[in-house]
Amino acid sequence: MSEKECTFYRTLYEVAKVINSSLEPATVLAGIVEQTARALEAKACTIRLLDRKGLTLLASAAWGLSAGYLRKGPIEVAKSGLDQEVLAGKPVQVKDVRSDTRFQYPEAARKEDIASVLVLPLTVGAKPIGVMRVYSNTVRDFTPVEVDFASAIANLSAIAIENARLHQALKTDYELLAETTYAIHDL
């Protein structure tokens, strides 16, 4: 097993620990994006989740990018050919974002020193819920092993996000039930 493969296994272990340690989505996603970027020796990593209407990808966690880049503008699915491809269910890599017309903000990427990007779908069952992006500051092809590793992390991330949503829904239902019970006893 190569050193890189060992790094990937250790990172999967660390990501599983992060997911299992908290139901707080911000904490879990922050740990995932940092671990992923470091393991892939990438500049940065983000997780963006679809809004309720499924029209816009909202920044949910980021590591390695400037605040200015993160505020460059909304990622509208209708205007991002790249994200449309990914939300259809397959990983897509762009070797040079500065010349690829599918990338929505090429000028902002140039200023941020982003050269290549790997984008992976986050799905629950067959339903897309968002994307994970891995950014490189050098022009590169992500190897099949790297794509498989990042896909495994993306799948774990989707499970963590769904678990957090279910936990929040149960918590809300419990609180509503408790309020109703107290209201009945007050009558």
Side-chain angles (χ1 to χ4, degrees):
M1 183 180 299
S2 72
E3 180 60 33
K4 193 166 211 166
E5 289 169 325
C6 289
T7 299
F8 289 168
Y9 280 113
R10 279 193 301 272
T11 301
L12 281 170
Y13 174 72
E14 291 301 322
V15 165
K17 279 179 31 182
V18 166
I19 290 170
N20 200 28
S21 69
S22 174
L23 286 170
E24 181 58 42
T27 302
V28 171
L29 297 181
I32 289 171
V33 293
E34 180 179 354
Q35 293 282 340
T36 302
R38 289 185 188 278
L40 289 169
E41 298 173 350
K43 172 183 174 54
C45 182
T46 62
I47 290 178
R48 291 184 174 270
L49 299 178
L50 285 168
D51 67 0
R52 291 183 189 270
K53 294 180 179 178
L55 302 175
T56 304
L57 286 163
L58 306 172
S60 299
W63 185 86
L65 294 173
S66 70
Y69 184 77
L70 293 171
R71 288 191 300 255
K72 64 189 177 305
I75 304 295
E76 298 174 51
V77 175
K79 294 180 179 176
S80 175
L82 177 63
D83 290 307
Q84 290 174 27
E85 285 181 52
V86 174
L87 291 170
K90 66 174 187 168
V92 175
Q93 60 177 304
V94 178
K95 189 171 183 176
D96 189 349
V97 299
R98 298 165 289 196
S99 63
D100 193 304
T101 58
R102 297 174 296 175
F103 206 76
Q104 191 174 356
Y105 295 100
E107 186 56 36
R110 189 179 347 268
K111 288 180 183 173
E112 187 71 12
D113 193 27
I114 295 170
S116 298
V117 65
L118 171 64
V119 189
L120 307 123
L122 299 174
T123 58
V124 174
K127 180 182 174 194
I129 62 169
V131 300
M132 172 184 274
R133 292 181 181 216
V134 180
Y135 301 90
S136 173
N137 58 1
T138 59
V139 174
R140 74 188 254 194
D141 284 316
F142 290 90
T143 68
V145 170
E146 290 173 325
V147 174
D148 286 347
F149 165 74
S151 294
I153 297 289
N155 285 321
L156 287 172
S157 301
I159 291 168
I161 292 163
E162 186 65 9
N163 284 346
R165 285 181 178 171
L166 291 172
H167 175 76
Q168 186 60 43
L170 283 172
K171 186 176 171 185
T172 301
D173 288 349
Y174 175 78
E175 290 170 357
L176 287 172
L177 180 63
E179 287 176 17
T180 303
T181 302
Y182 288 130
I184 290 172
H185 288 292
D186 289 343
L187 293 178

